[in-house]
Amino acid sequence: MAKFRNVAFAIVLTTAACLGQGGGSGPASTNIPGAEFPRINRDSSVTFRVQAERAQKVRVSLGFGQATCDMVKGADGVWEATTEPLAPGFYYYGISVDGFITIDPGSRTFFAARKEVSGLEVPGTESEFFAVKDVPHGAVRTEWYSSKTTGETRRIFVYTPPGYERGPQRYPVLYLQHGYGEDEAGWSDQGHENFILDNLIAGGKAKPMIIVNENGLTGVNFQSPPPSRPGPTPPPSLGVARFFMDERYAALDQIISEDLVPFIDTHYRTIATRDHRALAGLSMGGAQALRIGFHHLDQFAFIGAFSPAIAITDPTKDYDGILANPAKLNQRVRVLWLGIGSEDFLFAPVNDSHEALKKAGIHHVWVESPGAHVWTVWRKYLADFAPRLFQ
Amino acid sequence: MAKFRNVAFAIVLTTAACLGQGGGSGPASTNIPGAEFPRINRDSSVTFRVQAERAQKVRVSLGFGQATCDMVKGADGVWEATTEPLAPGFYYYGISVDGFITIDPGSRTFFAARKEVSGLEVPGTESEFFAVKDVPHGAVRTEWYSSKTTGETRRIFVYTPPGYERGPQRYPVLYLQHGYGEDEAGWSDQGHENFILDNLIAGGKAKPMIIVNENGLTGVNFQSPPPSRPGPTPPPSLGVARFFMDERYAALDQIISEDLVPFIDTHYRTIATRDHRALAGLSMGGAQALRIGFHHLDQFAFIGAFSPAIAITDPTKDYDGILANPAKLNQRVRVLWLGIGSEDFLFAPVNDSHEALKKAGIHHVWVESPGAHVWTVWRKYLADFAPRLFQ
């Protein structure tokens, strides 16, 4: 079992803590240019400040509503709150103005929980592996292609590694999916997949590879706007997680296997064999990676599930019996990677799934790490998974 | 003088108009997936709806505060307003909740006025030229490069035309800059430069070219967060516009001429001559394109200024006297393009600049179009400018 350093996800923002004044060491890297707040203080506490002269009540809420507290209004109409020291990592957050949940004007927005939300990066030594360093950089392409499955022109993101332009080298491909409520931009905007790979490649720790991000919420017809509630909408319950594996998600299977993989192999200099193709994802995307990967072992030899929304109970029957012959599966799947944070609300079913796979003799890398259901964890999982690919 | 069809920018949202009920023909294309509001009605009026049970007063504001009106609260805590029919085009807008200016949760955000704001696309036959059609599509790359001028790793966006991947063809390059308060993502997110070029190229109307977008707010040290006011921050006054041409902006000149052009010519298959290089921009970026272009005629043979923040009064002295020899300048500059909307707050100084250039015998394309200081106009300017390049 791989171990990460102890960086347990801890939101310790309390009403009492909100009363403090920030010492100020600098604006968050996730701020819009020129915005002084939110501000990361020297002790990794964070001071939020918003101007709302006429508001009666202003609150700040971190994560999925785990920590919410009232901000305090100053004489100048500026509301302020300071957290206790926060663990390094990436936090979604929201501001509530007289009950209306919205963004902090000081922050860049990120697409999550099916809406635009504020994001906060608390830096630390933990951030080194995705920092923008003086190493050769790849590019992230926004690309449009035609899907026969949906009849749409679909947007994808494609990371190409440093040196790709020079050619004529061909590369393996990792198909990497986001979670529920996010979209194909998540792995570059929140996940920094490009900088993680740039750094791994520069250090000789991962093979140069292409990464492709599609939108995994295919086939869902939302009938209503996202609910308005304090902070971003919570992640799916396990009941919703099961929904992600059902037939309504067959569209994504077909999109990836019939439309996307052929498009990428035609338009990029790939090595178009199963031994040079991986499929992974986080949360809902992890469930999709397992389902689609197992159904297309002719296309994928590497499968990764980061904090996946799964509940494998009987490997002889789940996934249409594809796991029923462990010896054959172990030969076909070169790496099966499964990881979950110990504070993740999905820990129990994923841990049970791991135990079920182990009991059935299905080889897999198992990572139990500190942390919850957050990007702070998923970035690390990518940094653990990518070096194991295409070796 | 080129003429556009009459699509005068008209915000006709009034308090009276806010009371109507939308008939509903569909969610705006700028909405987040699944959000039913804002909704474009059959008559091109737009219905906004936000949920804010505990708010005392909610307003919606289009553009730069040109049209603001109160929303009406329903029994369910949902506030609503409907505009009169709107001219097709792209509108920035904001929601004010008890005086706090923020985004509409139903809309995607765009970076403008130095913050994240909501955007609304009102479609029409006018939208055809940037529609996502069944034609070959180029890609937009997010790329990072090292700038010696600033010592930073800087982010740029690079459009590569359809077929670029196949090689070995080499392409001309258009360097295209955003306006004040926006950033290097503006020309793809708001401007749809990629779809405009895809369509022009597919129709044989423009030569395949690479487009590069840098961040033009280089060298500015913002000391404070953006002001909080109804709607997005207004564009710069002419006084601010002059500021954009002064020495504090010399950094961008150096970045483009010494760092960016060499990087692009090294990393992309360009035709690295002045006859295959253009520099253009909108508003502040238009002023920068003229200034930097005139100072680097060794690098650029095509210059475009879309609604630029300029005031040329004496071509014999402005731009360090570079325009003082019209015959020589006319020989060097293959296309000098200048355009402004008749309702633009910068119309008078730009029109005066045009007259001054004309009087001095400096050849230029002059476009006076309907419209204000908005993306609706700039997209059309790109579609007019690009076909004139590299012929």
Side-chain angles (χ1 to χ4, degrees):
Chain A
M1 192 186 92
K3 277 281 186 190
F4 289 94
R5 277 172 291 170
N6 190 338
V7 285
F9 180 78
I11 297 183
V12 289
L13 183 140
T14 64
T15 299
C18 291
L19 302 173
Q21 289 286 336
S25 78
S29 63
T30 31
N31 287 8
I32 59 171
E36 291 292 316
F37 294 87
R39 198 166 176 84
I40 313 290
N41 303 312
R42 289 186 210 289
D43 62 354
S44 289
S45 65
V46 177
T47 300
F48 297 91
R49 195 181 277 185
V50 296
Q51 188 158 1
E53 294 88 342
R54 280 171 284 167
Q56 298 302 306
K57 189 171 186 179
V58 180
R59 311 186 83 191
V60 58
S61 177
L62 263 75
F64 294 112
Q66 291 101 324
T68 300
C69 79
D70 294 340
M71 298 179 81
V72 175
K73 190 179 188 176
D76 50 1
V78 174
W79 299 73
E80 186 173 307
T82 295
T83 70
E84 290 184 6
L86 294 180
F90 179 79
Y91 300 80
Y92 289 129
Y93 76 103
I95 300 288
S96 161
V97 177
D98 291 348
F100 183 73
I101 309 305
T102 189
I103 61 168
D104 179 346
S107 171
R108 294 304 303 241
T109 54
F110 299 85
F111 193 69
R114 293 170 53 199
K115 60 186 178 182
E116 303 272 5
V117 304
S118 295
L120 172 74
E121 188 77 48
V122 177
T125 52
E126 298 293 325
S127 320
E128 271 298 297
F129 72 102
F130 60 87
V132 184
K133 296 183 182 174
D134 188 18
V135 299
H137 293 291
V140 177
R141 305 174 189 208
T142 311
E143 175 104 51
W144 290 263
Y145 79 106
S146 178
S147 163
K148 286 180 187 167
T149 302
T150 67
E152 300 165 317
T153 297
R154 293 178 64 81
R155 188 181 76 159
I156 51 173
F157 285 79
V158 182
Y159 166 79
T160 52
Y164 179 86
E165 287 307 320
R166 285 197 300 273
Q169 190 182 337
R170 302 187 77 89
Y171 298 86
V173 184
L174 164 60
Y175 293 81
L176 186 59
Q177 292 297 116
H178 62 88
Y180 176 78
E182 300 174 341
D183 69 10
E184 65 274 23
W187 268 108
S188 45
D189 282 356
Q190 289 97 309
H192 300 311
E193 61 180 8
N194 54 312
F195 298 125
I196 291 172
L197 264 290
D198 287 348
N199 292 336
L200 287 172
I201 292 167
K205 291 175 187 160
K207 294 219 166 162
M209 66 185 75
I210 293 166
I211 303 180
V212 179
N213 313 125
E214 240 286 8
N215 189 311
L217 278 170
T218 304
V220 180
N221 289 311
F222 293 121
Q223 295 303 323
S224 60
S228 179
R229 51 151 57 230
T233 308
S237 68
L238 197 60
V240 178
R242 287 210 177 84
F243 169 81
F244 293 138
M245 291 181 284
D246 79 8
E247 286 312 304
R248 276 166 285 188
Y249 279 82
L252 185 67
D253 183 311
Q254 195 176 337
I255 287 168
I256 288 180
S257 61
E258 296 181 20
D259 300 334
L260 184 59
V261 169
F263 173 82
I264 295 295
D265 284 337
T266 307
H267 286 76
Y268 287 84
R269 294 195 318 278
T270 65
I271 308 172
T273 70
R274 67 182 298 280
D275 283 338
H276 297 88
R277 224 181 264 125
L279 178 60
L282 70 90
S283 194
M284 173 188 81
Q288 292 170 329
L290 292 173
R291 181 188 188 279
I292 297 168
F294 288 146
H295 279 100
H296 294 281
L297 291 175
D298 56 315
Q299 290 186 313
F300 301 99
F302 301 85
I303 301 173
F306 308 168
S307 319
I310 59 164
I312 300 171
T313 51
D314 184 352
T316 66
K317 290 181 184 160
D318 290 338
Y319 299 106
D320 303 329
I322 292 165
L323 314 185
N325 186 335
K328 189 177 164 195
L329 190 80
N330 291 339
Q331 197 180 30
R332 293 282 280 168
V333 181
R334 293 185 51 194
V335 171
L336 175 60
W337 194 105
L338 186 61
I340 185 85
S342 55
E343 297 158 67
D344 195 311
F345 73 105
L346 292 175
F347 180 82
V350 172
N351 188 56
D352 290 350
S353 300
H354 151 63
E355 294 293 348
L357 291 171
K358 195 165 82 172
K359 191 176 168 191
I362 294 166
H363 298 169
H364 61 285
V365 176
W366 169 243
V367 171
E368 183 187 326
S369 73
H373 205 71
V374 292
W375 276 102
T376 311
V377 167
W378 300 321
R379 292 163 171 172
K380 289 174 188 162
Y381 286 179
L382 175 59
D384 183 275
F385 182 60
R388 302 173 190 267
L389 299 177
F390 317 124
Q391 301 291 346
Chain B
M1 192 186 94
K3 276 283 185 187
F4 288 95
R5 277 171 292 171
N6 191 338
V7 286
F9 180 78
I11 296 182
V12 289
L13 184 140
T14 63
T15 300
C18 291
L19 301 173
Q21 288 285 334
S25 77
S29 63
T30 30
N31 287 8
I32 58 170
E36 291 292 316
F37 293 88
R39 198 167 177 82
I40 313 290
N41 303 313
R42 290 186 209 289
D43 62 355
S44 289
S45 66
V46 178
T47 301
F48 297 91
R49 196 180 277 184
V50 296
Q51 187 158 2
E53 294 88 343
R54 280 171 283 167
Q56 298 303 305
K57 188 171 187 179
V58 180
R59 311 186 84 192
V60 57
S61 176
L62 264 75
F64 294 112
Q66 291 100 325
T68 299
C69 79
D70 294 340
M71 299 180 80
V72 176
K73 190 178 189 177
D76 50 0
V78 173
W79 299 73
E80 186 174 306
T82 295
T83 71
E84 290 184 7
L86 295 180
F90 179 80
Y91 301 79
Y92 289 129
Y93 76 103
I95 300 287
S96 160
V97 177
D98 292 347
F100 184 72
I101 310 304
T102 188
I103 62 168
D104 179 347
S107 171
R108 294 303 304 242
T109 53
F110 299 85
F111 193 69
R114 292 170 54 199
K115 59 185 178 182
E116 303 271 6
V117 304
S118 294
L120 172 73
E121 188 77 48
V122 177
T125 52
E126 298 293 326
S127 320
E128 271 298 297
F129 73 101
F130 61 87
V132 185
K133 296 184 181 174
D134 188 18
V135 298
H137 294 291
V140 177
R141 305 174 188 207
T142 311
E143 174 104 52
W144 291 262
Y145 80 106
S146 177
S147 164
K148 285 180 187 167
T149 302
T150 68
E152 300 164 317
T153 298
R154 293 178 64 82
R155 188 180 76 159
I156 51 173
F157 285 79
V158 182
Y159 166 80
T160 52
Y164 179 87
E165 287 307 320
R166 285 197 301 272
Q169 191 182 338
R170 301 186 78 88
Y171 297 86
V173 184
L174 164 60
Y175 293 82
L176 186 60
Q177 292 297 116
H178 62 87
Y180 176 79
E182 300 173 341
D183 69 10
E184 65 274 23
W187 267 109
S188 46
D189 282 356
Q190 288 98 308
H192 300 310
E193 60 180 8
N194 54 312
F195 298 125
I196 291 172
L197 264 290
D198 287 349
N199 292 336
L200 287 172
I201 293 167
K205 291 174 188 161
K207 293 219 166 161
M209 65 185 76
I210 293 166
I211 303 180
V212 179
N213 312 125
E214 240 286 8
N215 190 311
L217 278 170
T218 304
V220 181
N221 288 311
F222 294 120
Q223 295 303 322
S224 60
S228 178
R229 52 154 54 231
T233 308
S237 68
L238 196 63
V240 178
R242 287 211 176 83
F243 169 81
F244 292 139
M245 293 180 284
D246 80 7
E247 285 313 305
R248 275 168 285 189
Y249 279 80
L252 184 66
D253 183 311
Q254 193 176 338
I255 287 169
I256 288 180
S257 62
E258 296 181 19
D259 300 335
L260 184 59
V261 169
F263 173 81
I264 294 296
D265 285 336
T266 307
H267 287 75
Y268 287 83
R269 295 196 317 279
T270 65
I271 308 172
T273 70
R274 67 182 297 281
D275 283 338
H276 298 87
R277 223 181 265 125
L279 178 59
L282 70 89
S283 194
M284 174 189 82
Q288 291 170 329
L290 291 174
R291 181 188 188 280
I292 297 169
F294 288 146
H295 279 100
H296 294 281
L297 291 175
D298 56 315
Q299 291 186 312
F300 302 99
F302 301 85
I303 302 173
F306 306 168
S307 319
I310 59 164
I312 300 172
T313 51
D314 184 353
T316 65
K317 290 182 184 157
D318 289 339
Y319 299 107
D320 303 328
I322 291 165
L323 313 185
N325 185 336
K328 189 178 165 195
L329 190 79
N330 291 338
Q331 197 179 30
R332 294 281 281 168
V333 181
R334 292 186 52 194
V335 172
L336 174 61
W337 194 105
L338 185 61
I340 185 86
S342 54
E343 298 158 66
D344 195 311
F345 73 106
L346 292 175
F347 180 81
V350 172
N351 189 56
D352 289 350
S353 299
H354 151 64
E355 295 293 347
L357 291 171
K358 195 166 81 172
K359 191 175 167 192
I362 294 167
H363 298 170
H364 61 287
V365 176
W366 168 244
V367 172
E368 183 187 326
S369 72
H373 205 72
V374 293
W375 277 101
T376 311
V377 166
W378 300 320
R379 292 162 171 173
K380 289 175 188 163
Y381 287 178
L382 175 59
D384 184 274
F385 182 61
R388 302 173 190 267
L389 299 177
F390 317 125
Q391 301 291 346

